[in-house]
Amino acid sequence: MRKIVIAGNWKMYKTNSEALQLANQIKINTTAIKKAGIIICPPFTALATVNEVIKDSPIGLGAQDVYWEKEGAFTSCISPGMVRSTGATYVIIGHSERRQYFGETDETVNKKVNAALDNGLKPIVCVGETLDQREENITDKVVTKQIKGGLAGLTEEQMKSVIIAYEPVWAIGTGKTATPDQAQDVHAMIRQLLAELFGNLTAENTVIQYGGSVKPDNANDLLSQKDIDGALVGGACLKVDSFSDIIHTAEKLL
Ligand code: 13P
């Protein structure tokens, strides 16, 4: 059975001292969690600080982006090795906010995914359609292209380290959640696509998270769906109560 993995994407929130406090609270509130996976993704600036708090706990640490080069004159960029050096072992790649505001494409996602894997980082690869695309009925086509492009050339072995996050853009930060059925339909489509691309075993074992206004009151219905294996949480991960509520909901379903 696949694990349920709850990841918190802190986005551009939390100074170092705020991050320290939140990480501490999350650690304390999740000591009873034995089965659900937990990952927190603070901004780059807080990674090393947060690592000090959670390094002896089962909570995983992730960055929110990475550049593909090892080093060089790439002002502001952070390499996979730099991310690793903070203690982080995960990295979110291709978030819709990166695609929308910073020119991320399936090609750059693919380069980043490869660079992450080559350096022992586990990518959380984000895909999802905009509202226009959903209304045009091209959700499957858009997500298929993102997955094929983002994961191009990966081996079955590499896929063991990849998490996919389906995040419909229209549900991010809007309070509008995909219904459990809407989300399940896309997750099932993604799993079928993974079977075609990488074989049945990879499809069965890959964790596919849902993201987009996941909150304590909708987490149970979403996480109960057959092909929804976790959540990538934005707003609700910034407060210890709502984030740990979602994690405890996941734990009960396992
Ligand atoms: P919200 O939970 O705030 O909608 O954000 C989702 C998200 O973008 C997680 O990566």
Side-chain angles (χ1 to χ4, degrees), residues 139-187:
T139 297
D140 286 9
K141 192 173 145 208
V142 169
V143 172
T144 298
K145 181 172 172 294
Q146 290 171 333
I147 299 242
K148 282 190 173 166
L151 305 182
L154 263 58
T155 63
E156 281 174 50
E157 190 55 33
Q158 287 176 310
M159 281 301 294
K160 289 181 185 163
S161 302
V162 174
I163 293 177
I164 293 175
Y166 167 59
E167 299 204 301
V169 179
W170 49 273
I172 295 177
T174 58
K176 284 188 204 152
T177 322
T179 64
D181 285 347
Q182 281 175 322
Q184 165 59 28
D185 283 351
V186 181
H187 280 236

Side-chain angles (χ1 to χ4, degrees), residues 94-101 103-104 106 109 126-127 146:
H95 191 279
S96 66
E97 287 147 17
R98 299 290 321 163
R99 294 177 190 259
Q100 202 175 342
Y101 307 129
E104 194 84 78
D106 295 334
V109 167
C126 303
V127 296
Q146 290 171 333

Side-chain angles (χ1 to χ4, degrees), residues 204-223:
E204 273 313 303
N205 290 335
T206 303
V207 167
I208 308 176
Q209 297 175 321
Y210 169 79
S213 300
V214 177
K215 304 270 181 295
D217 62 4
N218 60 26
N220 186 65
D221 287 349
L222 287 160
L223 296 173

Side-chain angles (χ1 to χ4, degrees), residues 8 51 54 60 71-72 80 86 96 132 145 150 160 172 175 180 195 248:
N51 185 55
I54 60 168
E71 58 186 7
T86 67
S96 66
D132 283 353
K145 181 172 172 294
K160 289 181 185 163
I172 295 177
H248 284 270

Side-chain angles (χ1 to χ4, degrees), residues 192-208:
Q192 177 58 37
L193 178 62
L194 292 178
E196 286 160 27
L197 297 173
F198 302 103
N200 286 335
L201 194 63
T202 300
E204 273 313 303
N205 290 335
T206 303
V207 167
I208 308 176

